[in-house]
Amino acid sequence: MITPFSHRSHAGEVLARSLSRYAGRHDVTVLGIPNGGVPIAFEVARHLAVPLELCFLEPITSPRGDITLGLLGWPPSQQLHEPVINALGVNDEPLRQATAFAWRRLRQRIHTLRPPAPPPTLHGRIALIVDEGAAQGLLLRDAAGLVRRTGARTLVAAVPVASREGLQLINEEFDEVVCPWQPLPFDTVSSCYSDFRPVTEDEVRSLLLRAWGDWGRADLEGSSAS
């Protein structure tokens, strides 16, 4: 199979060209999914000259840790899987404890990857959610549900590469899906990159700081920390 992308930064440049209609808009925020989606999101935000932020997802798990009861998101949002909770008969106190434990895990991830700053406000904005690819689309689907709850006006999934199945799934959740490379047959996301080395925590923090320093966080400051 042809390898269309040299590395994640190259993929971000290609993806940015497909998103050029959003360049310079004051109502657009790019959300990169850590860790691998962040270098791509950085290039998208840089080429469009719009703010960059991170998009976190954290599962709320059952007391035994084997069943997902819901999801926490950041920018701050929460989604409970009510049918699962009811079927398991999870009472209020165990659910509260499981949720609190998930928030602690999520805050630790935020503290590790993101420089201290208030969370962004997405209400009324266009959110471009960026990841390195969509093989099944499950992560992006879950991200859409959480980001929608922040009050974002429009959700756009932006990935350099995806499978047909992945695109079908995320098409159901997003207002728009942008994906410049849709190979048939689809192998893996990693096979579409010549260099797919892991992205480190230091790289994520460095890219976010560069984005905030070079083109700022205008119109993003929220009123409360996570």
Side-chain angles (χ1 to χ4, degrees):
M1 186 180 77
I2 298 172
T3 305
F5 308 118
S6 302
H7 39 66
R8 290 180 179 86
S9 295
H10 175 220
E13 294 169 1
V14 173
L15 187 57
R17 290 197 288 270
S18 298
L19 294 162
S20 60
R21 60 194 171 280
Y22 293 109
R25 293 188 54 160
H26 298 294
D27 58 347
V28 173
T29 301
V30 173
L31 299 171
I33 296 180
N35 285 0
V38 177
I40 299 167
F42 174 86
E43 292 299 333
V44 169
R46 184 171 72 87
H47 281 79
L48 301 184
V50 298
L52 173 67
E53 259 294 350
L54 303 183
C55 178
F56 292 91
L57 292 82
E58 184 70 35
I60 303 169
T61 56
S62 62
R64 294 196 311 174
D66 55 346
I67 299 176
T68 299
L69 306 177
L71 294 167
L72 300 178
W74 199 96
S77 57
Q78 177 176 309
Q79 185 174 17
L80 296 178
H81 298 165
E82 298 289 356
V84 176
I85 293 169
N86 294 334
L88 293 175
V90 179
N91 296 323
D92 290 345
E93 182 58 22
L95 179 60
R96 187 196 67 78
Q97 293 178 2
T99 303
F101 184 62
W103 272 120
R104 288 195 293 271
R105 292 197 307 266
L106 180 56
R107 288 190 181 101
Q108 182 57 46
R109 291 181 60 206
I110 294 168
H111 177 75
T112 299
L113 294 176
R114 184 180 182 272
T121 296
L122 298 179
H123 185 79
R125 297 180 69 84
I126 299 171
L128 308 184
I129 304 178
V130 178
D131 203 3
E132 56 199 2
Q136 296 178 307
L138 298 174
L139 184 60
L140 281 165
R141 179 202 63 186
D142 290 343
L146 290 166
V147 174
R148 185 81 70 181
R149 290 170 178 263
T150 68
R153 182 176 85 250
T154 303
L155 300 186
V156 181
V159 289
V161 59
S163 69
R164 177 181 295 177
E165 294 75 17
L167 288 174
Q168 288 176 343
L169 184 65
I170 60 180
N171 263 316
E172 299 172 2
E173 305 296 331
F174 284 84
D175 301 298
E176 181 184 358
V177 177
V178 176
C179 178
W181 182 249
Q182 303 169 30
L184 286 175
F186 178 85
D187 185 9
T188 62
V189 170
S190 62
S191 67
C192 297
Y193 294 80
S194 299
D195 180 353
F196 199 68
R197 72 186 70 177
V199 178
T200 68
E201 295 174 349
D202 286 344
E203 287 178 275
V204 172
R205 287 178 63 88
S206 176
L207 288 171
L208 198 56
L209 279 172
R210 282 180 58 192
W212 290 358
D214 289 350
W215 59 92
R217 303 183 67 241
D219 302 323
L220 282 181
E221 274 70 17
S223 59
S224 62
S226 64

